[in-house]
Amino acid sequence: MILAPLLGVLACTEAPAPDSGDSGLAVGCTDEVVAVVSATEIGTAPRLKWQSDEASGGRVRFTNGDGLTRLWADGLEAMEHDAVLVGIVPNAEWTWEILVGEGDDERCVGTGSATNGSLPAGLPQVSRVMVTEPAQGLTVVPVLLGSPQINNWLMIFDEAGRIVWAYPASAGTGEEVWLSTAAFAHDGSGVYFNHQAPSAEDAGWIAEVGFDGEFRFAAMVPGMHTDFREGADGRIAALAWDLREVGAWQVLGDKVVVIEPGGAFSTLWSGFDAIEFDQNGDWPKGFYGADPNVADWTHVNSVSWTPDGEALLVTMTAFSGVARLDAASGATEWLYGDVIGDFPDSPSIVSAPHSAEETDDGEVLLFNRGDYSQHPMDACSWASEVVFNPEAQTVTETARWPGTDCLLVTFLGNAKRLPGDLTLVDWSSAGRIEQLTRSGEPVWSVSLGAGYGFGTADFLASVAE
């Protein structure tokens, strides 16, 4: 298998071919290229460096130490190559080969082997279950202790549910990080993650940590909070608080900001522009830590790009709302929710949604936290696939994933479509992530020990080589 065509990307294949030997790599390598393996700040992500006689794209095929062969490729024409390899089992013996040419002209010009490093101490206990045929690829997710915020982690799990990469979220700043979301960078260089601002005036930030552990700030935005997503063009859509005075109310709304690759940002959309604030409503107070007298209103909690990059989806706890936004103008293309929006005759089949992802066929994959305030003893969360038809003003649920048992998620939660018609469901506060079939059967599951929860997860998928 080969992952999406990204810079510095990894790919994986199944067990080695019968004529490849025990290493899983092809026989017949020459010694035209001598590579140097060295450690990085992340003990399980070794660096491989080499030089070529002429400019070419760098490619490395390497084993993960347990029956899979992965491919790293940067696609850059250069004579000096620097590959940081992720997805190798900790402490395992692994083998690599450097490739040039493509197709029938592909050949191996250097090979070697090494022993991978260890994971850091102090990681939370993880139990894993792999039933059968999970999606090929890697899952990145924040692992949250809750308090203090100094003890949160970014982790990457492999196809067998093993931790293969771990980074303490506070390592880059040495300070508390109010972490909620992690996502693979589209250029294949590492992982983006966030720090939520304590108020609408203070800055939240997004940072990138390379697979080698190198930390850099990507953007700082006042009021930036729960979620963000990078688009195919390198721009990042993120959520930020929008604090306004409406009549006698101090109201906490939300906005979507778009961050350019250089860090400059602008506001694309605000809930105040799409929904009228009801001054006679019973809006809860106490959520906003900077001022407990501020009313919590839209409570937008997720943002995502559509596959074509021309629109964004947002979800909001208030009204159990989902909105589709034009990514160029910020116009609200359609709005769904209780007592608001463009679907007045549709049943309430969405409940406190916390993620929305438009699939390639135009349906919307949702994670529904559910309304546990009304039924706290028997409430369950679930993922669902929904068709929104604004012309007919209808909403139809086409699939539902309640999980293997009733799990109540009290914060975050997300669902993501994976290859093979599998669905990743992140039961965040319950400390479990699953890959589920269309019928709801788990094929992969990771659970945390008591006291830990997951943040919003991402998946680096693969396609046939």
Side-chain angles (χ1 to χ4, degrees):
M1 304 287 176
I2 184 169
L3 294 180
L6 307 175
L7 174 66
V9 81
L10 289 173
C12 55
T13 60
E14 296 293 345
D19 60 352
S20 299
D22 293 338
S23 69
L25 301 179
V27 297
C29 285
T30 68
D31 58 358
E32 299 169 46
V33 172
V34 177
V36 176
V37 180
S38 61
T40 68
E41 294 181 27
I42 305 296
T44 56
R47 168 172 272 115
L48 191 68
K49 299 182 75 171
W50 73 97
Q51 291 184 336
S52 54
D53 292 336
E54 57 185 33
S56 63
R59 286 190 298 139
V60 180
R61 187 160 54 211
F62 62 101
T63 59
N64 77 331
D66 189 28
L68 281 180
T69 300
R70 303 192 189 276
L71 178 69
W72 177 96
D74 64 6
L76 297 178
E77 296 291 320
M79 295 179 68
E80 294 188 357
H81 304 278
D82 184 349
V84 178
L85 307 179
V86 66
I88 304 172
V89 176
N91 304 308
E93 297 288 334
W94 62 281
T95 312
W96 51 265
E97 58 185 23
I98 297 170
L99 306 174
V100 297
E102 296 183 2
D104 294 339
D105 296 326
E106 180 183 279
R107 60 193 183 93
C108 171
V109 296
T111 186
S113 62
T115 301
N116 201 22
S118 302
L119 291 167
L123 298 181
Q125 181 181 355
V126 174
S127 60
R128 56 190 174 92
V129 176
M130 186 176 66
V131 180
T132 178
E133 297 184 0
Q136 294 295 299
L138 303 173
T139 301
V140 65
V141 64
V143 174
L144 312 175
L145 177 60
S147 181
Q149 300 296 329
I150 202 75
N151 194 26
N152 296 327
W153 293 83
L154 302 172
M155 293 187 188
I156 296 177
F157 293 87
D158 70 2
E159 297 86 347
R162 294 170 294 215
I163 303 171
V164 294
W165 186 94
Y167 176 82
S170 294
T173 63
E175 300 175 352
E176 289 190 351
V177 174
W178 289 81
L179 171 65
S180 58
T181 298
F184 287 107
H186 280 192
D187 68 0
S189 61
V191 173
Y192 284 116
F193 67 104
N194 68 333
H195 165 69
Q196 301 181 74
S199 74
E201 292 77 26
D202 293 309
W205 50 253
I206 297 170
E208 181 183 5
V209 57
F211 291 134
D212 60 357
E214 182 178 348
F215 174 92
R216 71 171 185 88
F217 286 111
M220 290 191 176
V221 177
M224 188 163 58
H225 61 86
T226 313
D227 199 22
F228 67 89
R229 281 294 181 270
E230 183 187 15
D233 60 0
R235 295 186 303 159
I236 295 174
L239 302 179
W241 283 314
D242 192 353
L243 182 60
R244 301 190 187 187
E245 183 174 326
V246 182
W249 292 85
Q250 287 290 321
V251 184
L252 186 66
D254 301 273
K255 57 188 177 182
V256 174
V257 298
V258 175
I259 304 165
E260 301 298 327
F265 64 89
S266 59
T267 297
L268 178 72
W269 175 91
S270 171
F272 286 101
D273 299 330
I275 307 167
E276 182 179 358
F277 178 74
D278 180 5
Q279 298 188 52
N280 296 316
D282 184 19
W283 305 108
K285 298 181 179 181
F287 167 79
Y288 184 54
D291 185 348
N293 293 315
V294 169
D296 182 32
W297 182 43
T298 48
H299 203 107
V300 176
N301 47 55
S302 79
V303 62
S304 67
W305 297 88
T306 57
D308 60 11
E310 295 182 358
L312 293 160
L313 293 178
V314 296
T315 60
M316 57 194 84
T317 301
F319 318 109
S320 288
V322 184
R324 193 178 198 268
L325 318 176
D326 184 281
S329 67
T332 302
E333 296 183 352
W334 52 254
L335 173 66
Y336 169 88
D338 295 340
V339 307
I340 62 169
D342 306 312
F343 304 87
D345 298 324
S346 296
S348 275
I349 58 176
V350 179
S351 181
H354 274 60
S355 78
E357 175 188 272
E358 187 171 291
T359 63
D360 290 336
D361 58 9
E363 298 190 1
V364 176
L365 181 63
L366 296 168
F367 183 88
N368 297 273
R369 190 197 65 189
D371 187 3
Y372 62 83
S373 64
Q374 298 296 320
H375 306 284
M377 300 305 295
D378 57 0
C380 305
S381 302
W382 73 96
S384 62
E385 197 166 66
V386 174
V387 176
F388 292 92
N389 187 332
E391 288 76 21
Q393 297 185 324
T394 60
V395 182
T396 306
E397 183 180 273
T398 59
R400 177 179 284 226
W401 295 268
T404 52
D405 46 22
C406 176
L407 291 175
L408 174 61
V409 171
T410 56
F411 67 85
L412 302 177
N414 73 299
K416 187 172 184 65
R417 181 54 39 80
L418 304 184
D421 203 25
L422 297 173
T423 298
L424 183 147
V425 182
D426 177 1
W427 313 93
S428 56
S429 62
R432 184 189 299 175
I433 301 178
E434 295 178 308
Q435 294 180 19
L436 303 175
T437 65
R438 176 65 63 168
S439 63
E441 294 299 317
V443 297
W444 182 94
S445 178
V446 170
S447 297
L448 297 171
Y452 284 89
F454 286 119
T456 298
D458 193 22
F459 187 82
L460 189 58
S462 60
V463 297
E465 187 175 29

